[in-house]
Amino acid sequence: MTTVQTFTFNPFQENTYVLYDETGEAVIIDPGCVEKDEYEELYGFIEKNGLKPVAIINTHAHIDHVLGVAAVKRKYNIPFALHQIDEPYLRAVKTYASNYGFYQFDEPEIDRYLTEGEIVKFGTTELEVIFVPGHAPGHVAFVSHADHFVIGGDVLFYMSIGRSDLPGGNHEILINSIRTKMFTLPDDYKVYAGHMHATTIGFEKKNNPFFK
Ligand SMILES: [Zn+2]
Ligand SMILES: [Zn+2]
């Protein structure tokens, strides 16, 4: 069984996730840590639970989701994976980071590209990569069919959806991604979003104001 641990980091209140199972192997999704105490919280949790991180996988490359990638990658000497379409958006972070008060963005290298339909494996866990563009053009989400959850990034939120006014964003594409890729998952699947608390596919199909 895969356990999902949520951390909320940086001024954007971004959710960073550590997924791990009984083998102790773990992946870190969207490490947004930037302050010393945030790194300590993440590293402390990993140490206390005896986890072995094996990869960083990202839903997309907006600044709030990548602030900690380079440091976490160095700390554990693990690969970083992102969808290729979001690579230019990762490279663009250094051009706008200072607008948000981050004057020295630590830019990570990408070790491999995530592709739609691939299965990310660690321990006994399998996560299906689904392609859900619209908030970011290379946005993906990670689905556990065994444990009925999706790490959805900034696509679908509790009673809301991701912004589409950022570079590369597109509202119609986002709506279509949610309709065809998220709402086709079973209703009981829990959605761990990039911001705010978790929800479920069934609840959002019924109550999300963007799909009335
Ligand atoms: Zn975003
Ligand atoms: Zn975000």
Side-chain angles (χ1 to χ4, degrees):
M1 178 174 160
T2 309
T3 302
V4 178
Q5 178 70 27
T6 307
F7 302 85
T8 304
F9 289 148
N10 72 52
F12 301 96
Q13 297 283 291
E14 179 264 357
N15 291 331
T16 293
Y17 294 99
V18 172
L19 273 54
Y20 60 101
D21 62 27
E22 55 286 345
T23 68
E25 287 198 0
V27 294
I28 301 164
I29 301 180
D30 295 356
C33 25
V34 66
E35 299 294 339
K36 187 165 175 281
D37 62 322
E38 293 174 342
Y39 283 108
E40 283 171 2
E41 186 185 351
L42 178 68
Y43 297 159
F45 178 85
I46 288 167
E47 192 174 331
K48 192 181 78 195
N49 290 280
L51 304 181
K52 181 185 186 303
V54 296
I56 299 167
I57 54 177
N58 260 56
T59 60
H60 67 300
H62 285 150
I63 184 168
D64 49 328
H65 296 254
V66 298
L67 283 167
V69 170
V72 172
K73 192 168 138 58
R74 279 195 300 273
K75 163 90 177 168
Y76 297 110
N77 190 25
I78 51 177
F80 169 51
L82 179 74
H83 195 285
Q84 187 167 13
I85 294 173
D86 250 34
E87 182 166 16
Y89 298 87
L90 175 65
R91 298 294 160 237
V93 171
K94 62 177 178 293
T95 68
Y96 69 79
S98 62
N99 299 346
Y100 295 101
F102 301 106
Y103 294 98
Q104 295 205 315
F105 175 61
D106 194 356
E107 187 175 310
E109 286 308 312
I110 301 170
D111 297 286
R112 71 177 191 86
Y113 297 121
L114 295 166
T115 55
E116 174 160 55
E118 79 162 273
I119 306 294
V120 172
K121 293 181 183 169
F122 63 94
T124 58
T125 299
E126 297 193 340
L127 302 173
E128 183 192 357
V129 176
I130 59 172
F131 185 56
V132 282
H135 169 73
H139 201 300
V140 298
F142 304 102
V143 183
S144 167
H145 293 292
D147 292 304
H148 296 201
F149 67 78
V150 51
I151 307 293
D154 290 354
V155 172
L156 179 64
F157 296 118
Y158 172 75
M159 298 285 274
S160 190
I161 62 171
R163 292 171 59 171
S164 49
D165 58 333
L166 300 167
N170 181 299
H171 182 75
E172 281 69 42
I173 291 175
L174 177 62
I175 293 288
N176 185 58
S177 287
I178 295 169
R179 274 194 206 287
T180 62
K181 302 287 182 63
M182 303 284 278
F183 283 178
T184 49
L185 295 170
D187 281 355
D188 70 311
Y189 277 34
K190 198 165 173 180
V191 180
Y192 292 96
H195 302 269
M196 301 183 287
H197 62 77
T199 183
T200 66
I201 295 293
F203 180 87
E204 296 309 321
K205 273 163 76 174
K206 233 189 245 123
N207 300 298
N208 193 297
F210 289 89
F211 296 91
K212 287 278 179 233

